Structure formats: structure tokens, C-alpha cells
Amino acid sequence: MLKAIIVDDEQHCITRLTGLLQEVGPDIKILASCNTIAEGKMHIEKYNPDVLFLDVQLGSTTGFDLLSQLNHLDFELIFTTSFDTYALKAIKFSALDYLLKPIAKEDLYEALQKVRENRDLKETTKKIDVLFHNFKEGSGHSKRIAIPTVDGFVMVDTSDMVRLQSDANYTHIHTLSNKKITASKTLKYFEGILDGSNFFRVHKSHLINLSFVEHYLKGKGGYITLTDGAKIEVAVRRRDELIKKLIPNS
Amino acid sequence: MDQSPAMPDSFKKIFLVLLLFPLWGISQQSVLDSLQQELANHSAKDSVRVSLLIKTAGEMTYSNPKEAFPLVDEAIAISSETNWIKGESYALRQKGNLHYVMGDDLAALDVYQKAQHLAQSIGDRSLEASLLSNIGNIFADLKQYDRALENYEAYLTSAQTLGNVPDEIKALSNIAIIYNDTKKYEEGVANLEKALKLSKQEENDLFVAAITNNLALAYKKLEDYPKALLHYQEAADLAHQIGNKYIEASALNSIGTVNIILKNYDLAALNGRKALDLSQEIEAVEWQADSWKVLSEVYEHKGEMAEALHAYKEHVRLQDSVLSEEKKSELTRKEMQFKMERQQAEAEEEIKRQHLVKNGYLAGAILLALISIASYFLYKRRRDALEKRKVVEFNAKVAETELKALRSQMNPHFIFNSLNSISDFISRNDIKQADEYLVKFSKLTRAILENSEKKWITLEEDLELMELYMQLEAIRLDNHLEYSITVDEDIEPDNTLVPPMILQPFIENSIWHGIAPKGNTGKIDIQIKKKGDMLLCVVEDNGIGRATASMDTKEKSSLGVKITTNRIEIINHMKNTEGSIDMIDKKEGLRVEINLPLELQF
């Protein structure tokens, strides 16, 4: 039996989630449903839940505000949200789980399976740290990203990531300190998350950090050399856009 | 329900702009007839004819602007031949009005400025004042707020010196609109209060109503809701008294919105309904859309979901027609801004060129002159090249904007059909199906919203969208729909790019005009093949075919197909390709072949 708390400012969302949990999560016991940060904080401290379903947008405040007010973050966290690209982006960076509203039964089932199978409070705390880090630093600073690997998560600053190399369903991430992290996700997954950061897909197999470009060698598509010495082929169809990124006013 | 994406700020300010054209209301046909009669009788090329021409054109401003151009042109020609500057300047102003009404702001600006020049030379202050305000309006339309403000301020000063209070009021309110548009609400309020005081002195009820309404909007923006409500109510009452339903409906709608913010739902509903009745009476679509939005929010808060859905649907339907108008005007605005920048650049270069030539001449050195000529040609060559690049870039931008507009037109189309289905499930009390449908629908909507901003998405993503779409339609058809999707092996779906949702209208056609009327289970086969440097997408059904489909359904089906044809044409134009759509009638059903340029991501 897992103890759960739901925090959502909209009652109909709570009703729906409660109803769905009765169907797909008979082992989940809802101890409290709260509409505000204050209520949520009180019940979390009182009941010490195993799982927290947390709405991202709580009136004029956010679920992140609630998290920042808690002394102990020892529960599994599942965000719920409707359509908020900015917050969703932050959540994706931290590799925390989320459900899109209206919640689909099969999505909830999957999320619960993940909680049941890989309960690991240490990992969750680390991910929440990443979330806080990205919020504190603001837009000007380097973001941190939680990288899923075969045995847990590794947290890396995006400014330390030099290049990401595709290897079928895995991705090798080369860092500034010449470490290689093998992630259990596709390159497309990272391209999606890092969209809008200073990364560029030069080739089907390579996503590079534009800050580390040393040279561009002309050619059919050409080659890029990075500060770590890697020489990477540029796809013909990516060349023009790459040049635009490297020399903005050309 | 989520907030609708980036709707323009509803609950409007009432412009005093149209009032600025002196004395042209809706003209009576009889007045126009007698003027035309007089014109026919007076053919001598003199100042009487000029005045008649300007007057007649003036009467035609709102009813038939296009045909009034020959009249003003003649007036300009006669005045210029007879050296009657006053006549020429008034004729030019009238020509500007015609351009403005027809939406050609830039041409209007050009003639207004000529008229202004002439008015200055003969010291006609009141004509100058009216031109300043018209020019201000154009800059406001073009969102060049600084220059609009400059002209309005000059207009204000001139009205004050001439002691013309109505003009002063108009100047103050238009200045206020600019401040409010640039979010300087405090300054806006100050100017509006001044204007209000003056119009009360003048006992001009129409001005008082319009200004009070604008004032209320500014207070609403300042989040001073009690004050906003008070002013809206005053504006509504006064508008009612003088029988101006346009202002009354707008004010009532706003009372509705403010009451929603204050959680007085009954009051909001009452005002929303009143506004709806009024705006339906005067056929003001935008206002009706606003009323439905108010009502939908009220119903939602009261938990009357079916009513809320109905109201929301009405809101979106009406808003949609307003929006596509706005898209069009946005496009024209961009175009004008570009033209204006180019003219300015040319003028600056002209000045520079003249300096260059003049200096050379003054130096008296033939050599220097030669060098300057040579350098001018070099310079001109560079300028021309720059110009050309700018034009090319602009064309690309226009094409892109058009494509975006076309993509966005697809969405409402789609949302309505789905809302209808949900509503149908609700009325049949099939809650489980309605829920399953709604969850899938929201997934699809999310994906469409994310993708409609993109020019191209991968084939893989697009086919996923189409599969989700067909699943939705299958639920609507009580599962009387089967489908298959086949992609040839020499195609990499994750590396091939297609314009988002390009196949959707054809699938929709097949389902609703081919399979649904058939009565039993139908099938759709989608095949993607490579043909040289083209991507062939085939949508094939075993429905009743086009020959059997009724005229009515054929017409309905044409919108989506038309939009898609336009999209492909624009792509062809941009990429110099030969994309095409072919519809082939089969013995049983229809086969649509869509040829797209094969675009790869890498």
C-alpha cells in the first residue's frame, strides 16, 4: 500500500485523478487532497506520503513553490499540468515524471508502474535539486540536466556537455572533463530537451554544443572541430543553418 | 479548460478615429443623387466644379470609395491648372480619406503629406489640424507609436490655439489610446479625464460615452475594478440613452468580464446576455464573440458544462472569423512597414547622394567629380544588390506568414467536429466514450498546437498524428472504420520531412464523405512511397466515391482541400518544385495521390 497526497487547485482535477486511481491503482491510498500550498505543506508534513501528485500551476503560485517550502523531500513526485511549456521544460530537464491533463488512464498506469518498480528516494531528491538549480540560476546561467543511464541518473551542467553522439537507442555524452556518460535515451530525446539551449544537431548522429566549436572546415557539408579535438561531419542539409548559427549576420 | 492561446485583448477601446473625418456620416442616396446631378450640369472647369467634385467624393467615402477616385483626381487636376491651392489641398485630403477607407494606409499617408505641405503654404490652420490627426491615425495603425503621438500632440496644440474644443477632445482621447496601447495607463487615464471633462462641458453625449468606456478599460488594466465597473456602467447607461448600441454592447460585455474577475457570476451572465442581444441586433460579430466568452466562463463556474461548451463553441466560431480578418490585416501591416522602411532608406540615400554630388561640384575639380560619379555607381550597385536581397527576404517572409495562416486555419475546422462528437456523447449519456474521446482529443490537440508552429515535421510524427486522428474518428463511427498505414522500406520516417497535417483533409474526406454514408465498415489505406525526388502519399478508401456523394457534402469537403492545395502551391513556389494533388475515382471509393518534394532532415 502506497500513501498518496494530491495537490491541485482545481477540484474537478482532483475528482478525476481520484476516480482514475480507484481503477488503476488499488494499492494507492489517498490520504489527503489539497487545494493550496499551505494545506499541501501541512498534510505532507503530517502524513509523510510515499507519492505526491502535484499540480504545476496553483493559482498565482506554483507547485515548485510548495516544494521549496518543505524541509524533507522524501517521496516520489509526479507533476500534473495542462499546457505550460516553460514549466514543462524545467520538469523535463530534471527527468521528473509528469502527467498531462486531462490525465489518460494508461499514462497514469505507466507512471504508477514506474513508482512501484524504481522507488529510489535518493534519485528523486537529486532530480528535485536539479529542478531548483535551474530555477535559481535563471535564464542567463547554465542549466543542469538529469541524464538517465542504465543504473540511475547522472546530473551534468549543460555548459559541461561538449557533444552528444547517437548509438542506436543510447546516447554517449562527452563532457568537458573528457568523461563519457552513456545515457539510456535516444539522441532525439536530448535534442527535444535541449531545444532552445545552445545545442545544434549537425548530423544524424551528433548534437553539439555550439560554445565548443573551434573550426569549421568547408566542404560538401563540411566538418566541425570541437575544443576536445573531435572532428565531426556536418550533414549537407544542416550546413546553411549551422553557418547561420555560428555567424548570426551572414 | 486551458486559456485559449494568445487571443487578442478583447473588450475594446472605442476609437474616436472615424469621427475625425469631418462630417461624413452615412450618406443618404438622395444627397448623392442631387450632387451628381449638379455635377453633370456644371461642366466648367472652375472652383465650383472642384468643390462639387470633393463633396460628391466625400459622400461616396463609405459607400463606394473605389469609384470616387476619378472625381478627386479631376478636382486635383483642375485646381492645379488654375493654381487654386486651397482646392488642391482639400482634394488631396479627400483622396487620402479614400485610400484610408480602402485600407491603403501608405498611399493615404503620401497624399496627406502633400496636402499638409500645401495647407502650410497657404496657412490654412484648420485643414492642417485635421491632416495631423489623420496622419496620426495612420501611424497608430502601423503601430509607429512615437510618430503617431508626435502628430496627435501637434493636433492638440493646434486645436487649443484655434479654440476648437471638439478637436481638442479627439486629440486627447487619441493620445490616451496610444498611451494605453503602450501600457502607460496612468498617462492614458490623465488624458482621458481631461477629454471627459471637456466633452461634458460641450454636452456631447456620444463623446462622453465613448471616452467613459475607454476610461473604464484603463482602470480595468490598472486592476481598479470598482472604478472600472462604475465607468463601464456609466458608459452603458449613456449609450443606451442616446441609442448607440455599439458602445452599449461593448460596455456591457466588459461589465460581464469584470464581474467574472470579481466572481459575481449572476451579474456577469445578466450583462453578457444583454450585450449578446444588442450585438446580434447590430450584427457586430466581434462583440458577439466576446459575449459568448463571458457566458461560457459563467457557465463553467456554475458547473453547467453542456451550456458552457455550447457558449465556448459559439465564441470560438465567431472569434475565428474575426481572427482570420486580423491575420490578413497583420499581413498588410507588415507589408506596409517594409515599404515604408524602404522608402525611408531610399530617401536617405538620395540625400547622401546629393551631398556627394554637390561637394564634388563645389570643389570644381573634374577629377573629383569623376571619382564621385564612379563611386556613386559602385555605391548604387551595392545598394541595388542590398535592395534585391531585401525584397527576396521579404517575399520569403510573406510566403511563410501565409503558410502559417493556412496552417492555423486547419485547427478550428478540426476542433469543431470533435466538439460536436463530445457533445453528441454527452447527450447520449455515454460518459465513458465521451471521456475516452476527450482524452484522445486533448492529446491530438496538444500535438497539433505544438506542430502547427513548425513548417515541417518528420513523417514519423505526422503519421502518428494521423493514426491518433483516425482512432478518434473510429470512435465517432462506432468503430466502423479500419485503417492501415504502409511506408515503403526505402523511406526513413524519422529522417523524412513533411508539412504538418497535410494528409488530414483527405483522410477526413474519405471518412465523412466516403465511408460514413456507406453504412457499414469501411477502410482507409495510407501508403507512402518514394518516386525519384518526390514523396508520394496515397490516401485510398473503399467508400461510396465522389459520384455518389451529394452536392452538399462535396462543397463542405472543399475547404480543407483548397487550403492544402494552396499550401502545396506556396511550397512549390518557395522550393521550385512540382508538388501536386490528384484525385482518382475508383470502381469503389476514392484514391488521392499527393506528391510532395522529398525533404530530408539530414
Side-chain angles (χ1 to χ4, degrees):
Chain A
M1 185 62 78
L2 292 170
K3 296 179 288 176
I5 285 182
I6 304 174
V7 181
D8 198 314
D9 62 336
E10 285 176 274
Q11 190 55 44
H12 65 93
C13 292
I14 296 185
T15 315
R16 180 179 180 88
L17 181 54
T18 316
L20 286 176
L21 280 172
Q22 275 168 6
E23 279 183 63
V24 297
D27 55 334
I28 309 286
K29 189 173 178 223
I30 303 164
L31 297 176
S33 304
C34 324
N35 297 112
T36 61
I37 289 194
E39 260 182 86
K41 182 172 189 254
M42 190 183 88
H43 284 108
I44 291 166
E45 282 168 356
K46 180 170 157 200
Y47 290 116
N48 199 12
D50 300 310
V51 188
L52 174 64
F53 291 95
L54 181 56
D55 185 16
V56 172
Q57 204 61 49
L58 292 166
S60 56
T61 55
T62 68
F64 305 145
D65 295 331
L66 169 60
L67 293 178
S68 68
Q69 289 179 21
L70 295 172
N71 293 325
H72 302 287
L73 297 166
D74 40 9
F75 43 76
E76 292 297 328
L77 182 57
I78 299 175
F79 281 109
T80 60
T81 183
S82 298
F83 193 80
D84 180 343
T85 34
Y86 178 67
L88 204 56
K89 197 154 191 149
I91 295 170
K92 283 179 182 167
F93 263 88
S94 66
L96 283 157
D97 212 355
Y98 60 89
L99 291 168
L100 292 169
K101 295 198 277 198
I103 296 171
K105 208 193 288 178
E106 53 277 15
D107 292 349
L108 176 63
Y109 180 79
E110 239 175 77
L112 290 177
Q113 272 311 99
K114 264 191 253 172
V115 170
R116 292 182 191 116
E117 280 162 19
N118 347 303
R119 276 191 70 197
D120 187 341
L121 294 177
K122 256 191 218 149
E123 295 285 9
T124 307
T125 317
K126 268 160 68 186
K127 290 183 207 166
I128 295 175
D129 282 343
V130 170
L131 190 68
F132 283 154
H133 170 89
N134 289 342
F135 265 92
K136 244 181 273 156
E137 295 292 333
S139 55
H141 281 274
S142 165
K143 291 239 154 67
R144 197 167 288 167
I145 180 171
I147 296 170
T149 67
V150 267
D151 42 21
F153 288 82
V154 182
M155 314 299 162
V156 181
D157 278 355
T158 54
S159 60
D160 288 341
M161 290 158 68
V162 179
R163 61 190 170 96
L164 298 88
Q165 186 174 9
S166 162
D167 182 359
N169 288 328
Y170 294 89
T171 302
H172 304 298
I173 297 164
H174 300 263
T175 69
L176 205 53
S177 49
N178 275 326
K179 262 209 318 225
K180 192 172 102 177
I181 304 163
T182 299
S184 55
K185 290 277 179 189
T186 59
L187 189 57
K188 199 177 162 80
Y189 167 89
F190 290 103
E191 194 186 9
I193 291 180
L194 295 169
D195 178 40
S197 308
N198 200 27
F199 285 80
F200 186 81
R201 185 98 176 249
V202 287
H203 192 266
K204 204 172 172 179
S205 66
H206 256 107
L207 183 68
I208 61 159
N209 188 338
L210 290 172
S211 319
F212 296 117
V213 172
E214 212 170 46
H215 281 296
Y216 170 68
L217 305 166
K218 276 190 195 165
K220 202 170 159 216
Y223 288 88
I224 276 271
T225 52
L226 297 174
T227 46
D228 70 343
K231 185 176 169 191
I232 294 158
E233 193 188 339
V234 177
V236 185
R237 288 184 186 79
R238 307 296 290 158
R239 190 186 66 176
D240 288 354
E241 213 177 319
L242 172 70
I243 292 174
K244 233 185 240 169
K245 289 254 176 194
L246 292 175
I247 319 161
N249 291 317
S250 70
Chain B
M1 193 164 289
D2 278 310
Q3 291 247 310
S4 39
M7 287 279 178
D9 187 75
S10 349
F11 308 108
K12 327 274 170 330
K13 55 221 175 216
I14 309 279
F15 273 96
L16 283 174
V17 167
L18 279 181
L19 301 170
L20 289 166
F21 293 107
L23 292 180
W24 291 295
I26 290 128
S27 65
Q28 286 172 340
Q29 194 57 36
S30 58
V31 179
L32 189 58
D33 284 345
S34 70
L35 275 169
Q36 277 167 338
Q37 190 60 41
E38 268 186 79
L39 252 183
N41 291 337
H42 192 102
S43 55
K45 293 190 169 184
D46 58 11
S47 61
V48 178
R49 183 166 172 84
V50 170
S51 305
L52 277 172
L53 284 166
I54 298 176
K55 248 194 200 161
T56 315
E59 286 295 339
M60 292 162 77
T61 309
Y62 291 107
S63 52
N64 195 0
K66 212 168 166 183
E67 310 221 324
F69 277 103
L71 302 182
V72 285
D73 284 336
E74 192 190 336
I76 295 169
I78 297 176
S79 330
S80 130
E81 273 168 40
T82 54
N83 274 331
W84 189 39
I85 298 181
K86 185 168 177 184
E88 191 177 349
S89 54
Y90 276 86
L92 280 168
R93 179 180 69 175
Q94 178 53 39
K95 190 174 182 181
N97 291 349
L98 295 174
H99 280 307
Y100 186 77
V101 169
M102 298 204 41
D104 191 348
D105 282 10
L106 218 59
L109 186 63
D110 191 44
V111 264
Y112 280 150
Q113 280 167 342
K114 274 186 200 149
Q116 195 181 27
H117 193 67
L118 293 179
Q120 270 166 2
S121 72
I122 55 170
D124 187 333
R125 301 282 302 267
S126 74
L127 176 62
E128 229 189 301
S130 85
L131 287 165
L132 281 170
S133 111
N134 290 355
I135 292 172
N137 294 342
I138 290 177
F139 282 124
D141 280 358
L142 293 173
K143 302 203 172 161
Q144 304 222 344
Y145 295 119
D146 289 350
R147 299 182 70 172
L149 210 53
E150 228 171 74
N151 279 281
Y152 285 150
E153 298 276 8
Y155 173 45
L156 178 64
T157 320
S158 149
Q160 279 165 344
T161 2
L162 291 170
N164 185 335
V165 184
D167 274 3
E168 198 180 337
I169 297 170
K170 288 174 212 159
L172 285 168
S173 359
N174 287 342
I175 290 174
I177 288 178
I178 300 290
Y179 279 130
N180 289 344
D181 277 353
T182 48
K183 299 208 166 93
K184 294 175 182 157
Y185 302 115
E186 265 97 2
E187 281 100 327
V189 167
N191 278 289
L192 283 171
E193 292 281 12
K194 271 189 229 161
L196 187 61
K197 205 174 143 199
L198 287 174
S199 15
K200 279 186 178 159
Q201 271 171 24
E202 289 280 294
E203 295 179 359
N204 187 332
D205 291 338
L206 177 61
F207 280 16
V208 174
I211 294 169
T212 312
N213 185 76
N214 289 357
L215 199 51
L217 176 66
Y219 281 125
K220 185 181 158 208
K221 294 282 189 188
L222 286 169
E223 292 178 14
D224 185 345
Y225 299 122
K227 255 194 177 155
L229 267 185
L230 208 68
H231 282 85
Y232 275 134
Q233 195 61 56
E234 232 179 281
D237 290 345
L238 195 54
H240 185 73
Q241 264 175 40
I242 58 172
N244 188 321
K245 290 173 182 159
Y246 184 75
I247 299 184
E248 192 184 354
S250 165
L252 290 174
N253 269 334
S254 308
I255 295 178
T257 359
V258 177
N259 273 313
I260 287 177
I261 298 175
L262 298 174
K263 300 199 161 62
N264 301 326
Y265 299 117
D266 288 332
L267 265 177
L270 191 71
N271 285 290
R273 260 183 227 117
K274 261 203 252 168
L276 182 62
D277 286 343
L278 279 174
S279 47
Q280 277 170 345
E281 214 176 293
I282 54 170
E283 293 178 6
V285 178
E286 207 172 343
W287 272 217
Q288 288 173 42
D290 291 349
S291 304
W292 282 117
K293 187 161 185 223
V294 170
L295 292 176
S296 124
E297 278 174 28
V298 171
Y299 289 134
E300 207 184 322
H301 282 291
K302 288 189 165 178
E304 294 165 18
M305 294 324 280
E307 297 283 330
L309 182 64
H310 171 69
Y312 189 69
K313 270 160 70 178
E314 284 296 314
H315 163 67
V316 176
R317 181 176 66 81
L318 293 165
Q319 189 73 38
D320 180 44
S321 63
V322 178
L323 272 183
S324 66
E325 277 308 306
E326 278 177 7
K327 281 249 164 65
K328 265 188 234 157
S329 64
E330 172 73 10
L331 207 62
T332 358
R333 197 175 63 75
K334 276 198 181 139
E335 204 168 335
M336 281 178 185
Q337 267 179 349
F338 171 75
K339 275 192 204 157
M340 193 138 111
E341 276 166 24
R342 197 171 61 182
Q343 276 176 8
Q344 267 171 9
E346 274 172 5
E348 275 164 25
E349 274 158 14
E350 183 64 21
I351 292 169
K352 275 189 210 156
R353 184 183 70 84
Q354 282 173 2
H355 275 304
L356 210 66
V357 174
K358 202 168 147 198
N359 288 344
Y361 179 73
L362 282 178
I366 293 164
L367 190 67
L368 241 166
L370 279 175
I371 290 172
S372 63
I373 288 167
S375 69
Y376 165 64
F377 277 110
L378 280 174
Y379 175 62
K380 185 173 180 298
R381 218 171 69 182
R382 214 186 97 211
R383 192 191 66 184
D384 289 349
L386 270 173
E387 185 90 321
K388 215 165 142 190
R389 209 180 82 182
K390 246 172 141 181
V391 170
V392 169
E393 272 174 11
F394 174 70
N395 285 339
K397 220 157 87 188
V398 168
E400 236 166 66
T401 318
E402 276 171 356
L403 266 183
K404 217 170 172 178
L406 288 176
R407 282 197 299 265
S408 69
Q409 276 175 23
M410 290 306 303
N411 304 343
H413 194 64
F414 202 70
I415 289 166
F416 283 117
N417 287 334
S418 306
L419 287 174
N420 283 331
S421 296
I422 299 170
S423 149
D424 182 45
F425 289 133
I426 294 173
S427 62
R428 281 191 300 175
N429 255 325
D430 193 344
I431 297 169
K432 226 178 145 189
Q433 285 254 309
D435 185 66
E436 187 191 343
Y437 192 89
L438 192 64
V439 170
K440 281 216 162 81
F441 171 62
S442 67
K443 272 193 183 173
L444 185 61
T445 311
R446 208 187 304 278
I448 291 174
L449 281 176
E450 274 164 16
N451 286 320
S452 65
E453 279 302 304
K454 295 179 191 158
K455 276 184 278 182
W456 301 86
I457 63 174
T458 63
L459 179 64
E460 188 178 27
E461 286 167 320
D462 200 53
L463 290 177
E464 270 167 27
L465 272 178
M466 288 307 103
E467 189 165 0
L468 193 54
Y469 169 65
M470 287 192 281
Q471 285 174 2
L472 269 176
E473 297 290 41
I475 301 178
R476 283 173 78 189
L477 282 176
D478 294 327
N479 291 320
H480 286 315
L481 172 69
E482 290 169 1
Y483 61 83
S484 73
I485 299 176
T486 329
V487 181
D488 272 8
E489 270 181 21
D490 53 351
I491 294 173
E492 306 166 89
D494 60 341
N495 190 24
T496 307
L497 297 171
V498 291
M501 310 267 295
I502 201 104
L503 301 184
Q504 189 272 335
F506 303 101
I507 300 177
E508 185 177 330
N509 268 355
S510 284
I511 295 176
W512 294 107
H513 309 307
I515 292 170
K518 197 170 135 169
N520 52 19
T521 302
K523 190 162 189 229
I524 291 190
D525 292 310
I526 296 177
Q527 298 148 46
I528 314 286
K529 297 172 185 192
K530 201 163 129 182
K531 247 175 114 185
D533 55 357
M534 300 296 276
L535 190 71
L536 174 64
C537 310
V538 183
V539 177
E540 202 165 357
D541 68 62
N542 62 353
I544 58 167
R546 279 197 297 182
T548 337
S550 68
M551 259 327 271
D552 180 47
T553 60
K554 263 187 216 167
E555 252 164 53
K556 265 191 219 150
S557 68
S558 60
L559 175 70
V561 175
K562 211 170 136 190
I563 291 173
T564 310
T565 316
N566 285 346
R567 284 173 74 184
I568 292 183
E569 265 170 26
I570 294 173
I571 292 168
N572 279 343
H573 185 72
M574 282 168 78
K575 303 223 161 232
N576 207 7
T577 50
E578 284 175 7
S580 62
I581 300 172
D582 295 304
M583 300 210 185
I584 301 152
D585 294 304
K586 300 189 305 172
K587 216 168 174 186
E588 191 194 21
L590 180 67
R591 175 185 170 98
V592 183
E593 296 189 348
I594 300 129
N595 268 295
L596 297 168
L598 180 68
E599 285 282 323
L600 295 180
Q601 198 173 5
F602 301 108

